[in-house]
């Protein structure tokens, strides 16, 4: 059945990374594909649309659709879906290639495309500029800096690196072998499982862009390093003889019992630091964060933390689980639903009967409430970070 669906490739990457160059090379070497292109530009004039038409020597510009003056990962999402459905309905094209604007996050776009009945998302390609990482981001290891603007570039780069099925490190010819090794180390710290291609001038095989059958939403989401590290921690805990169980996603206890029963609170270190000092660990606690203390600590968040993400809860809002994440200067905590522990006793019993993992990790005092954060960075002072985070916990 999937063979009857029109395959779609989403091409992402920050401004100047080389997306349009790559796209033109694909269009000039289509191997028989009839490719329609959707181009998104945040300006009033869609410059990339014109560059693609000229660069790919396209005379029939009806195969190029421009979406401009907005972003397809937010304000133009419904327009994107409509244009894809319109192109599929013409039956003129057997492949759709989307070039997102340089400021787009790929995951919301992928979620929208996944809802299209007659199309399938075949590949999410992120293009990273190796030269820019070296020149502006110290080879990629300062993907979090205190003095960046609120909507900083580093945050966007992290999102684009983490959520893709193919990652192209472009402009390899503009950096040294040692600089490229450092870029690869940082990329691997964020996204260790994706197919990585090093390229110059966007020279990438069309077979790595079109009709790859490489994209699977759940697999791509779970391939991000922070997910892998938390899952690895859980697997290690399953093998422990100690009386402690942990789970990567938040589950949930409405009232606290009068007696104390604590799981051992500890921190797992992930992979050993590589030659550039890049490493990770998982911070795990059962007690909640104090909201005001966390907000105060956020202002002095360690700059050498490249990425952190996980589940948390607050002492002043005991029913709600939050997803906490940092990338770039942005530090966010968004509500993600209520803990199972907030359900009635009967509902808890029904859920626990069906979910053995949740049942094994259930805490008599806290239920499924927990703090579990994967922290990735360079030359991390784990003891100090743990000490600082512990000071943010509610008394």
């Amino acid at each position: 059945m999937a063979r009857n669906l029109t395959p779609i490739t989403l091409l992402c990457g920050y401004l100047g990374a080389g997306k349009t160059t790559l796209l033109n090379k694909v269009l000039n070497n289509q191997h028989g594909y009839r490719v329609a292109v959707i181009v998104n530009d945040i300006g009033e004039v869609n410059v990339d649309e014109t560059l693609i038409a000229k660069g790919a020597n396209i005379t029939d510009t009806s195969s190029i659709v421009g979406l401009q003056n907005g972003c397809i990962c937010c304000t133009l999402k419904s327009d994107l879906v409509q244009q894809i459905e319109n192109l599929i309905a013409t039956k003129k094209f057997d492949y759709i290639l989307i070039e997102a604007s340089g400021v787009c996050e790929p995951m919301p776009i992928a979620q929208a495309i996944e809802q299209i009945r007659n199309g399938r998302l075949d590949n999410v390609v992120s293009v990273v500029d190796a030269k820019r990482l070296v020149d502006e981001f110290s080879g990629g290891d300062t993907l979090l800096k205190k003095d960046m603007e609120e909507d900083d570039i580093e945050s966007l780069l992290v999102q684009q690196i983490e959520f893709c099925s193919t990652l192209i490190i472009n402009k390899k010819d503009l950096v040294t072998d040692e600089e490229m090794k450092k870029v690869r180390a940082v990329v691997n710290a964020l996204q260790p499982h994706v197919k990585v291609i090093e390229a110059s001038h966007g020279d990438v095989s069309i077979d790595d862009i079109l009709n790859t059958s490489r994209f699977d939403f759940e697999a791509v989401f779970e391939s991000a390093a922070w997910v892998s590290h938390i899952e690895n921690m859980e697997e290690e805990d399953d093998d422990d003889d100690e009386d402690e169980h942990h789970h990567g996603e938040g589950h949930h206890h409405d009232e606290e019992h009068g007696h104390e029963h604590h799981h051992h609170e500890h921190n797992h270190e992930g992979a050993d630091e590589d030659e550039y000092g890049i490493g990770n660990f998982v911070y795990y606690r059962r007690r909640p964060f104090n909201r005001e203390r966390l907000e105060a600590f956020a202002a002095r968040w360690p700059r050498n933390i490249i990425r952190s993400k996980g589940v948390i809860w607050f002492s002043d809002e005991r029913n709600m689980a939050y997803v906490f994440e940092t990338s770039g200067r942005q530090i966010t905590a968004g509500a993600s639903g209520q803990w199972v522990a907030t359900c009635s006793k009967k509902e808890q019993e029904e859920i626990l009967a069906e979910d053995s993992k949740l049942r094994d990790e259930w805490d008599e005092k806290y239920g499924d409430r927990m703090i579990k954060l994967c922290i990735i960075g360079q030359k991390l002072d784990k003891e100090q970070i743990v000490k600082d985070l512990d000071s943010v916990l509610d008394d």
Side-chain angles (χ1 to χ4, degrees):
M1 182 177 177
R3 295 179 181 177
N4 298 324
L5 303 178
T6 301
I8 301 166
T9 288
L10 173 62
L11 186 61
C12 298
Y14 192 68
L15 301 167
K19 297 189 302 298
T20 303
T21 300
L22 172 63
L23 192 150
N24 278 335
K25 288 182 180 292
V26 171
L27 294 179
N28 277 310
N29 188 25
Q30 294 185 27
H31 289 191
Y33 290 109
R34 298 173 300 164
V35 181
V37 181
I38 297 177
V39 190
N40 177 217
D41 204 316
I42 59 174
E44 293 185 7
V45 177
N46 200 327
V47 177
D48 281 351
E49 181 182 353
T50 303
L51 292 175
I52 290 168
K54 291 181 178 179
N57 298 314
I58 294 176
T59 55
D60 179 10
T61 56
S62 65
S63 63
I64 304 178
V65 176
L67 296 176
Q68 60 214 50
N69 206 20
C71 178
I72 58 176
C73 67
C74 44
T75 58
L76 295 181
K77 194 186 300 182
S78 60
D79 291 354
L80 172 67
V81 171
Q82 187 60 57
Q83 290 294 349
I84 293 174
E85 292 178 344
N86 291 346
L87 288 169
I88 293 175
T90 67
K91 298 183 179 179
K92 292 171 57 179
F93 308 103
D94 48 28
Y95 210 100
I96 297 175
L97 186 56
I98 304 166
E99 181 190 353
S101 81
V103 297
C104 278
E105 295 179 9
M107 188 164 71
I109 309 172
Q111 289 173 320
I113 296 173
E114 289 271 276
Q115 304 305 312
I116 298 173
R117 290 184 180 180
N118 296 316
R120 66 174 177 85
L121 188 51
D122 175 75
N123 199 9
V124 174
V125 180
S126 285
V127 184
V128 176
D129 182 342
K131 178 63 175 173
R132 185 162 195 164
L133 282 176
V134 169
D135 289 347
E136 298 185 21
F137 309 120
S138 302
D141 62 308
T142 58
L143 290 181
L144 185 144
K145 295 190 289 186
K146 289 184 179 180
D147 55 351
M148 292 301 296
E149 296 299 323
E150 186 63 26
D151 295 321
D152 57 273
I153 297 170
E154 286 92 336
S155 174
L156 185 60
L157 283 173
V158 169
Q159 304 292 337
Q160 293 175 344
I161 290 172
E162 281 189 336
F163 192 87
C164 64
S165 46
T166 303
L167 180 63
I168 298 172
I169 304 178
N170 198 27
K171 304 186 182 180
K172 178 183 178 181
D173 56 311
L174 300 182
V175 300
T176 66
D177 290 343
E178 183 62 25
E179 288 170 335
M180 177 57 76
K181 287 179 182 178
K182 191 172 184 181
V183 169
R184 287 296 297 263
V186 174
V187 166
N188 188 62
L190 293 170
Q191 174 51 280
H193 304 296
V194 74
K195 180 177 178 61
V196 178
I197 301 170
E198 297 179 9
S200 300
H201 311 291
D203 284 328
V204 178
S205 170
I206 191 171
D207 294 331
D208 284 318
I209 306 298
L210 305 183
N211 211 25
T212 64
S213 298
R214 193 172 291 149
F215 183 82
D216 176 88
F217 194 98
E218 184 175 349
V220 168
F221 175 79
E222 293 181 351
S223 67
W226 71 269
V227 177
S228 300
H229 296 320
I230 284 180
E231 289 181 344
N232 288 338
M233 169 189 166
E234 292 162 10
E235 291 174 2
E236 292 169 8
D237 285 338
D238 287 340
D239 295 332
D240 284 347
D241 293 327
E242 298 176 7
D243 181 25
E244 55 189 3
H245 308 278
H246 316 300
H247 189 50
E249 297 297 330
H251 297 291
H252 325 323
H253 180 158
D254 186 18
E255 302 175 36
E256 293 193 351
H257 298 296
H259 61 279
E260 295 283 328
H261 177 78
H262 294 279
H263 282 277
H264 212 36
E265 297 188 341
H266 62 288
N267 306 285
H268 285 236
E269 292 191 21
D272 293 335
E273 291 186 349
D274 66 12
E275 61 182 310
Y276 300 104
I278 298 172
N280 67 83
F281 69 99
V282 175
Y283 175 82
Y284 170 83
R285 295 291 185 263
R286 281 289 186 173
R287 291 159 56 200
F289 278 141
N290 178 289
R291 193 185 299 267
E292 292 182 358
R293 291 177 189 172
L294 181 60
E295 289 177 354
F297 179 57
R300 52 187 178 87
W301 192 260
R303 61 183 300 169
N304 59 332
I305 293 178
I306 298 173
R307 178 67 154 142
S308 61
K309 189 168 183 178
V311 63
I312 68 171
W313 64 299
F314 293 109
S315 56
D316 64 342
E317 194 175 1
R318 307 181 70 82
N319 291 349
M320 188 63 67
Y322 280 80
V323 172
F324 176 89
E325 64 180 303
T326 71
S327 57
R329 190 185 178 209
Q330 293 181 348
I331 300 177
T332 62
S336 66
Q338 292 191 329
W339 300 99
V340 172
T342 65
C343 299
S344 68
K345 201 69 175 177
K346 181 180 179 182
E347 289 176 311
Q348 288 180 24
E349 291 172 354
E350 291 175 351
I351 294 171
L352 290 172
E354 295 179 359
D355 191 334
S356 60
K357 194 166 190 177
L358 176 59
R359 184 173 62 250
D360 289 342
E361 70 163 1
W362 192 264
D363 184 275
E364 291 184 22
K365 179 177 180 178
Y366 297 107
D368 56 336
R369 296 186 182 97
M370 68 177 67
I371 293 171
K372 186 177 290 183
L373 297 175
C374 174
I375 297 173
I376 302 171
Q378 186 176 40
K379 294 182 172 61
L380 296 173
D381 186 341
K382 298 180 180 67
E383 291 186 4
Q384 185 60 49
I385 294 172
V386 169
K387 182 179 178 180
D388 289 339
L389 287 173
D390 283 349
S391 72
V392 175
L393 296 171
D394 198 63
D395 297 328

